[in-house]
Amino acid sequence: MRILDVWIARHVVGGALLALAVLLSLSAVVGFVEELDAVGRGRYGIGGALEYVLLTMPRYAVVLFPLASVIGALIGLGTLAVSHELAVVRAAGVSVVRTLGSVLSGAVVLMVVAVVVGEVVAPFCERLAQSRRAVALGEAQSEETGYWIREGRRFINAVRVQPGDAVEEMYIYDIDPDGSLRTMTHTTRAQYRDGAWRFESVRSSEISADGVVTRSIPDVVWETRLRPDLVRLSSARLESLSGRALMRYIDYLRENRLDTAEYELALWMKVVYPLATGVMIVLAVPLVLGRLGDSGIGQRILVGCLIAVTFHVVNQVSGKMGIVYGLNPALSAFAPTLLFLAVGVWLLRRVR
């Protein structure tokens, strides 16, 4: 039976990786075309755009794993069904449940790959991609209003986050318990060294009933719990963060009594996507052993795409609804996967 497990698992894994390669290739082409708008600015050329697109592919791979898995499983198992090899296996007395076990052995391999890519490869490549792109363009990573971080009654606005442990243009607002602004501090550059922030060209304004007192200071050392990694986490894409980084940032937000729903949802999605990969493969088994056994490869790919797209839409809607209506993030993340698993089990029970 071990030979049977390896034989079926090889077809499932091979089909899924082939489907993933095709989907990533399409994503790379679209991403490269979008990056052409930035080519020519600073030192950002065709080579830099190509490097950036390739480094962002692991992030796309995490999201595309469920889609590639169901398509690959349908292709791999469908090929065995069309060649009547699965029919021989069934005629030899191998049950549907036993066949599912062989398929799941391949699903476990894909789930492990998904975890490694999502937790190790994607975060590293995404940081490297954003950093190199920013350096080539000659600009810092920022949004129109910068990045806002709260620490107790202090609000920090990091306008331009530079590669490395530096920020250009940082504003710090200290708020009194009654909600009034007490001090506003501005620095043209903040560099994190030796466990503290070093401010350059500082301008501090203290507000009181008597008026506003402004002071200019060349250099200031600011000791705080706010580290550069937390600044980067606040400016990073949620889908590019590792589970460990998300947990660290969630702890920081809870300490400062800030809303963590969006980050908790992203954390649970990190858990769900590898499991969804396995569920999509489980769903492919009854489809191949049932109605799609004699179908052509085009029809199987179409069915796989429809299933995966439906799952993706339901998954996104469930997550957004969870945030809007204040539902438990774990429930919002797991609900679509459990729903599709229930459908897969129901279809398996109908296979004879």
Side-chain angles (χ1 to χ4, degrees):
M1 282 297 182
R2 180 171 178 78
I3 296 177
L4 177 65
D5 292 338
V6 174
W7 177 62
I8 293 180
R10 186 178 62 188
H11 281 79
V12 171
V13 173
L17 293 180
L18 176 61
L20 181 63
V22 173
L23 292 172
L24 286 178
S25 298
L26 294 174
S27 300
V29 171
V30 174
F32 182 73
V33 171
E34 292 178 348
E35 281 300 303
L36 290 178
D37 290 338
V39 170
R41 291 164 47 193
R43 293 184 289 108
Y44 195 61
I46 295 293
L50 182 60
E51 179 189 49
Y52 174 78
V53 170
L54 292 177
L55 286 173
T56 56
M57 284 302 101
R59 169 164 57 88
Y60 288 106
V62 176
V63 180
L64 291 173
F65 253 109
L67 172 60
S69 297
V70 68
I71 295 175
L74 286 171
I75 293 175
L77 294 176
T79 302
L80 296 178
V82 170
S83 63
H84 303 295
E85 293 175 86
L86 279 183
V88 173
V89 171
R90 296 290 303 278
V94 179
S95 66
V96 175
V97 176
R98 184 65 187 82
T99 304
L100 177 62
S102 300
V103 172
L104 285 177
S105 61
V108 170
V109 174
L110 292 173
M111 290 166 66
V112 171
V113 173
V115 170
V116 172
V117 172
E119 287 299 299
V120 180
V121 181
F124 172 79
C125 290
E126 185 68 20
R127 288 195 300 270
L128 188 61
Q130 298 298 337
S131 175
R132 291 192 175 184
R133 186 179 188 274
V135 170
L137 290 172
E139 60 185 27
Q141 302 172 44
S142 68
E143 294 179 344
E144 293 182 0
T145 59
Y147 303 107
W148 287 88
I149 307 164
R150 176 182 171 185
E151 190 176 60
R153 295 190 177 278
R154 177 173 291 160
F155 294 83
I156 302 123
N157 178 211
V159 179
R160 290 186 292 276
V161 180
Q162 297 281 2
D165 298 339
V167 175
E168 284 191 0
E169 303 293 336
M170 180 183 285
Y171 294 86
I172 302 172
Y173 303 91
D174 290 295
I175 308 298
D176 282 331
D178 61 1
S180 59
L181 178 64
R182 184 174 74 252
T183 60
M184 189 278 285
T185 304
H186 169 256
T187 176
T188 57
R189 180 176 175 83
Q191 180 76 45
Y192 192 81
R193 292 197 305 267
D194 302 325
W197 289 94
R198 314 281 171 165
F199 290 169
E200 301 175 6
S201 302
V202 180
R203 186 178 179 87
S204 178
S205 299
E206 185 172 351
I207 303 170
S208 65
D210 298 327
V212 179
V213 178
T214 302
R215 296 181 299 165
S216 296
I217 310 171
D219 299 290
V220 172
V221 176
W222 182 40
E223 295 184 357
T224 176
R225 292 178 298 172
L226 180 64
R227 303 183 304 275
D229 59 336
L230 293 175
V231 176
R232 287 193 292 271
L233 287 177
S234 68
S235 62
R237 296 172 179 266
L238 286 179
E239 62 270 20
S240 69
L241 298 177
S242 67
R244 185 176 179 181
L246 283 168
M247 287 189 289
R248 187 164 66 249
Y249 196 58
I250 287 171
D251 289 339
Y252 176 81
L253 292 176
R254 284 175 176 169
E255 288 177 3
N256 291 279
R257 299 180 180 179
L258 297 174
D259 183 30
T260 61
E262 187 176 5
Y263 292 90
E264 288 186 64
L265 179 62
L267 177 61
W268 284 113
M269 285 296 186
K270 287 282 184 181
V271 179
V272 165
Y273 271 115
L275 296 177
T277 299
V279 170
M280 291 294 102
I281 292 177
V282 169
L283 195 58
V285 174
L287 294 176
V288 172
L289 295 181
R291 298 180 178 275
L292 291 181
D294 298 323
S295 302
I297 188 170
Q299 185 175 348
R300 290 197 298 273
I301 293 177
L302 177 60
V303 172
C305 289
L306 290 176
I307 293 172
V309 169
T310 302
F311 171 78
H312 181 72
V313 171
V314 172
N315 208 33
Q316 294 297 313
V317 171
S318 176
K320 300 302 181 183
M321 287 182 63
I323 293 177
V324 171
Y325 293 104
L327 303 178
N328 185 284
L331 177 62
S332 301
F334 274 96
T337 301
L338 294 177
L339 175 61
F340 276 72
L341 177 61
V343 172
V345 172
W346 177 74
L347 291 175
L348 277 171
R349 293 173 62 90
R350 293 173 58 87
V351 176
R352 296 288 184 264

